[in-house]
Amino acid sequence: MDQRERIERLRREIAEHNRRYYEENQPVISDEEYDALLRELELLEREHPDLASPESPSLRVGSDLVREFRKREHREPMLSIANTYSQEEVAEFDRRVRRELEGETVEYSCEPKIDGVALELVYEDGRLVAGVTRGDGFVGDDVTPNLRFISSLPFRLEGVSGEFMVRGEVYLERAEFEKINELRREEGLKTFANPRNLAAGSIKALDQALLEGRTLCFFPYGTVGAINGEMSQHRRLLRLREMGFTVNPHIERQNSVEGLMDFIGRFEGLRSTLPYDIDGVVIKVDSLDQFRRLGTTAKNPRGAVAFKYRARQTETVIRSIIFQVGRTGRVTPVADLEPVLLAGSTISRATLHNEQEIARKDIRERDTVVIEKGGDVIPKVVEVRKDRRPADSEPVHFPENCPVCGSPLVREGEEVDYRCVNAACPAVVENSILHFASRNALNIEGMGPALVTQLMQSGLVRDYADLYTLTREQLADLDRMGEKSAQNILDAIGGSRKRTLAHLIFGLGIRHVGTGTARTLAEQFGSLDAIMDADRETLQAVPDIGPIAAESIRDFFDNERNRVLVERLREYGLPFTKERTRPAAEGGFFAGKTFVLTGTLPTLTREQASELILARGGKVTSSVSKKTDYVLAGTDPGSKLEKARALGVTVIGEEEFLARVREEE
């Protein structure tokens, strides 16, 4: 493989891992494995600058994959911190800092690295007005409506004027995580993988009803600029505590590399005793002036480093190896393990990925194996204790036929995965229904694995189109399903008709079509009919759709069974055209106008008001200027209202705003 091909393969692989981590909150490799891929890509790009690309994932800070929220620009870039797994690299970091700051006293502020989601809080004249995720480091998602689910968050700060930003980590305590999962088990729903994924999904939830009963937490780790001239990272955090924030109590200052190593070692031993997950420690040059002078790379500040702990491991025995079939027909080998406690949870299964991975590690049934939770998230087999292997052990033979329906398995081209290509395979159908009903697709709440299994076993549902034929009587007759629950399911199914074309495209379950690709297809083609009729060349001409995705889309719609299924969805009223937007027609109140929102509206969230404006051809910006046409103001509007009046910008309230909306219905 030449270097160009290796670079392109790494970029594709890292992009896929980014999608799984940021968009689906379902990573399949550990942070350490991901960082190794990224370091290899960065090294190859440095060695071959002629192969550089501005779209390379090596230049990305976080994720800009989740697009449903209104975007908001960070006043200053929200950079991530470079990771290391080596104490020697921490020592080298210290040597480099002291070399750059030769002759100066250097101290470090050290804190546990919370395994959560980065968030920026925006205050105006002491009032909390916005919460913004990191996004790509420059523009993030405005998740302001969900801030009320973060406990102990100060919504007002005394003695603060103008715009003030606090940055920190949103996380979920383990006890809260277990409570939520226990409720889901009782309801027959799929449990969440770990607190970090649940925190990420919660802060980015579009439907606030999903968050009722959840309590998120927030630890600040810094501000944009100093506080009242305070020029120490450590003292800045103490000042935030005085202002009402819950600051991590385990923050320390160290002035030597020996002190840094002591801090790293102590918290590796303490991590299991903390009420929340940490995956390392963060070390920052304490002087904000020195930190600023050290500068940044394209992605990371040079005055900070994050030491990541390696995944925790333990031994257990593989009782058997089973083969699971997913919605695309992919057959995945899974190790059924003797249950063992690891990193705070009981592990009884671990993915073995594919036939090649089993052969590479020579994994067999009844083997004693070392398992770890990759990134403290995903159980995986890392080593086989072959000296303890039973004498009569035999290699694993991958099945030639589907373990569910018996159809022959196939492996296409250079793929490593075997697939069942029987579209009527019960496992494929069941998983496709679950995917269709998932939150990022048609969002049919309550349509979990237990219910789908019952629906299929009773013969009520054979595919996801059958969901729209269900009656209350049929649902109420199922186990653990009364009249009220049946009606809730029917209401959720009915509500799915109001989802967008992009949600429907994603819900169809086309291979290689994630939520981002689905949005792109909806935006570019405007209707499902246009997509179904597009040839491969037309599909490939769409940004971000390559030959593999184009081939997969075409194969899906060339399948007669899929065509029939899609036509049934049309009959049941699913959205086949892109949601209606208002063109910038002459005379319209919103068309071509720029709006700024400020304060708390009586009935609308900022997100809802923004959607109404955008759908009618208007624009929404975050700051008032001479180019602003209208300011939509609620209670406690802050400095934006004063600036609007000073510039002579028209200010309207929610009542007038909604009246204008009704005029254009």
Side-chain angles (χ1 to χ4, degrees):
M1 181 187 304
D2 63 22
Q3 299 299 345
R4 179 186 296 276
E5 186 178 352
R6 178 57 181 163
I7 287 173
E8 288 304 318
R9 179 171 293 188
L10 281 168
R11 286 171 179 166
R12 289 194 300 271
E13 188 173 352
I14 292 169
E16 173 63 14
H17 289 308
N18 282 340
R19 183 186 69 78
R20 288 178 177 273
Y21 184 87
Y22 290 107
E23 189 170 3
E24 297 184 357
N25 289 313
Q26 293 181 345
V28 294
I29 62 173
S30 68
D31 288 352
E32 189 172 356
E33 290 170 310
Y34 176 87
D35 289 338
L37 292 174
L38 194 59
R39 282 196 295 270
E40 182 184 356
L41 176 59
E42 290 170 340
L43 177 61
L44 288 172
E45 288 178 335
R46 284 197 300 270
E47 293 175 348
H48 303 277
D50 55 311
L51 300 180
S53 167
E55 301 300 318
S56 174
S58 64
L59 301 177
R60 292 178 60 177
V61 176
S63 168
D64 57 1
L65 294 169
V66 180
R67 306 177 193 277
E68 289 91 342
F69 289 96
R70 184 166 64 91
K71 298 298 183 182
R72 183 177 177 121
E73 187 174 351
H74 297 296
R75 193 175 80 183
E76 292 185 10
M78 199 169 177
L79 302 179
S80 59
I81 295 176
N83 294 330
T84 180
Y85 298 84
S86 161
Q87 291 194 11
E88 176 52 40
E89 289 185 3
V90 173
E92 176 54 36
F93 163 77
D94 174 65
R95 287 192 290 270
R96 178 176 57 78
V97 166
R98 294 182 187 279
R99 188 166 58 246
E100 293 287 329
L101 301 172
E102 188 174 359
E104 300 181 33
T105 300
V106 176
E107 283 192 308
Y108 297 102
S109 179
C110 306
E111 59 193 85
K113 186 177 182 298
I114 308 301
D115 195 11
V117 183
L119 184 72
E120 178 178 76
L121 302 174
V122 182
Y123 289 83
E124 289 182 0
D125 294 332
R127 188 174 59 83
L128 180 60
V129 297
V132 189
T133 63
R134 172 180 284 142
D136 64 1
F138 300 93
V139 177
D141 292 313
D142 188 329
V143 295
T144 306
N146 294 344
L147 297 183
R148 67 187 181 93
F149 296 97
I150 302 177
S151 65
S152 305
L153 199 64
F155 283 77
R156 280 194 172 276
L157 302 177
E158 297 298 327
V160 175
S161 60
E163 195 171 49
F164 177 66
M165 275 78 76
V166 177
R167 292 174 174 177
E169 204 82 7
V170 175
Y171 67 96
L172 206 70
E173 290 195 341
R174 282 195 292 270
E176 176 75 1
F177 171 73
E178 292 299 336
K179 182 188 77 174
I180 293 168
N181 265 351
E182 184 58 35
L183 289 173
R184 293 181 69 84
R185 288 187 197 98
E186 292 175 0
E187 296 171 5
L189 300 176
K190 182 179 179 181
T191 56
F192 296 103
N194 57 81
R196 188 263 166 211
N197 283 12
L198 181 51
S202 298
I203 198 64
K204 290 189 175 184
L206 291 168
D207 183 359
Q208 291 187 29
L210 297 175
L211 302 183
E212 294 298 339
R214 296 183 191 176
T215 302
L216 300 171
C217 302
F218 178 82
F219 275 146
Y221 56 65
T223 66
V224 175
I227 305 174
N228 297 333
E230 182 56 73
M231 293 302 292
S232 159
Q233 163 70 7
H234 186 261
R235 289 196 294 270
R236 179 169 60 175
L237 291 174
L238 297 180
R239 178 74 181 104
L240 285 173
R241 179 180 295 161
E242 294 171 2
M243 296 168 74
F245 288 92
T246 301
V247 176
N248 194 301
H250 300 292
I251 297 167
E252 297 180 11
R253 271 191 291 198
Q254 300 289 344
N255 58 16
S256 68
V257 70
E258 292 78 17
L260 297 181
M261 299 309 172
D262 174 69
F263 187 84
I264 289 170
R266 276 190 288 120
F267 275 89
E268 185 164 21
L270 287 172
R271 62 192 296 204
S272 61
T273 69
L274 298 172
Y276 44 80
D277 286 347
I278 67 170
D279 56 358
V281 300
V282 177
I283 300 164
K284 299 177 183 176
V285 172
D286 188 51
S287 164
L288 300 183
D289 175 63
Q290 291 178 336
F291 189 91
R292 177 187 56 79
R293 285 189 282 122
L294 287 167
T296 67
T297 67
K299 292 177 58 179
N300 314 119
R302 291 191 172 92
V305 68
F307 180 89
K308 299 287 287 289
Y309 295 129
R310 296 188 183 277
R312 286 172 280 192
Q313 299 181 340
T314 191
E315 287 188 5
T316 187
V317 175
I318 297 178
R319 297 191 294 198
S320 63
I321 294 176
I322 58 179
F323 296 89
Q324 297 180 338
V325 183
R327 66 177 176 85
T328 65
R330 177 188 174 190
V331 178
T332 303
V334 176
D336 178 37
L337 306 169
E338 290 286 352
V340 62
L341 188 65
L342 176 62
S345 59
T346 300
I347 306 301
S348 59
R349 290 197 172 186
T351 179
L352 301 179
H353 300 293
N354 52 55
E355 182 185 37
Q356 289 186 5
E357 184 73 359
I358 291 175
R360 184 176 71 83
K361 294 180 179 177
D362 189 17
I363 299 170
R364 304 182 185 185
E365 292 184 340
R366 297 183 293 145
D367 271 345
T368 298
V369 293
V370 177
I371 64 168
E372 71 177 27
K373 291 175 76 174
D376 285 340
V377 174
I378 307 153
K380 60 185 294 186
V381 173
V382 294
E383 185 182 350
V384 177
R385 300 294 196 204
K386 294 182 180 178
D387 58 325
R388 295 160 66 179
R389 171 173 284 169
D392 59 346
S393 171
E394 295 183 358
V396 173
H397 297 290
F398 214 87
E400 296 181 354
N401 297 90
C402 175
V404 176
C405 71
S407 300
L409 298 180
V410 300
R411 188 166 65 179
E412 300 174 356
E414 297 181 359
E415 284 193 349
V416 297
D417 296 319
Y418 284 92
R419 297 183 186 275
C420 173
V421 294
N422 175 17
C425 173
V428 173
V429 173
E430 181 171 345
N431 283 289
S432 69
I433 294 172
L434 289 169
H435 174 78
F436 183 84
S438 65
R439 180 173 59 86
N440 288 332
L442 279 298
N443 194 28
I444 304 176
E445 190 174 355
M447 191 61 64
L451 177 56
V452 172
T453 298
Q454 280 198 77
L455 290 171
M456 291 186 64
Q457 290 177 347
S458 63
L460 294 174
V461 168
R462 295 161 299 171
D463 53 50
Y464 43 67
D466 281 342
L467 296 175
Y468 297 92
T469 69
L470 293 171
T471 66
R472 185 168 58 181
E473 291 73 22
Q474 289 172 332
L475 288 168
D477 284 342
L478 298 174
D479 291 341
R480 301 180 66 184
M481 181 73 68
E483 292 284 339
K484 184 177 180 181
S485 297
Q487 188 58 54
N488 289 340
I489 294 293
L490 285 181
D491 290 343
I493 292 172
S496 70
R497 294 184 173 92
K498 298 178 182 178
R499 297 286 273 176
T500 67
L501 173 61
H503 290 119
L504 175 59
I505 295 169
F506 177 65
L508 294 177
I510 305 169
R511 283 184 66 197
H512 307 298
V513 175
T515 55
T517 302
R519 282 190 291 268
T520 299
L521 288 167
E523 188 68 34
Q524 293 289 321
F525 289 95
S527 74
L528 194 56
D529 290 302
I531 298 169
M532 288 192 288
D533 293 340
D535 58 27
R536 288 169 175 77
E537 291 72 23
T538 303
L539 289 166
Q540 272 190 246
V542 175
D544 301 327
I545 295 183
I548 295 175
E551 184 78 17
S552 182
I553 295 166
R554 195 62 267 144
D555 287 347
F556 181 88
F557 290 116
D558 285 342
N559 183 296
E560 183 60 27
R561 181 180 180 276
N562 292 336
R563 283 272 188 173
V564 171
L565 190 60
V566 169
E567 288 304 317
R568 290 177 62 207
L569 294 176
R570 188 200 304 274
E571 294 173 10
Y572 297 136
L574 275 294
F576 268 56
T577 58
K578 185 176 178 292
E579 55 274 23
R580 182 166 62 99
T581 57
R582 321 251 173 190
E586 289 187 31
F589 177 76
F590 296 92
K593 302 297 194 304
T594 299
F595 289 75
V596 171
L597 282 59
T598 183
T600 304
L601 300 174
T603 65
L604 297 173
T605 65
R606 289 196 182 192
E607 180 187 2
Q608 291 168 334
S610 297
E611 288 177 352
L612 290 171
I613 294 166
L614 295 171
R616 287 156 180 78
K619 294 185 293 184
V620 179
T621 60
S622 59
S623 57
V624 179
S625 70
K626 292 180 179 179
K627 295 181 179 180
T628 304
D629 294 293
Y630 296 99
V631 168
L632 174 57
T635 56
D636 298 326
S639 60
K640 290 182 181 179
L641 180 60
E642 297 173 9
K643 188 172 182 180
R645 287 170 174 164
L647 293 174
V649 174
T650 302
V651 178
I652 63 173
E654 185 185 277
E655 185 176 351
E656 181 181 351
F657 175 78
L658 290 176
R660 295 289 192 174
V661 169
R662 288 191 290 271
E663 287 176 3
E664 297 193 16
E665 289 296 333

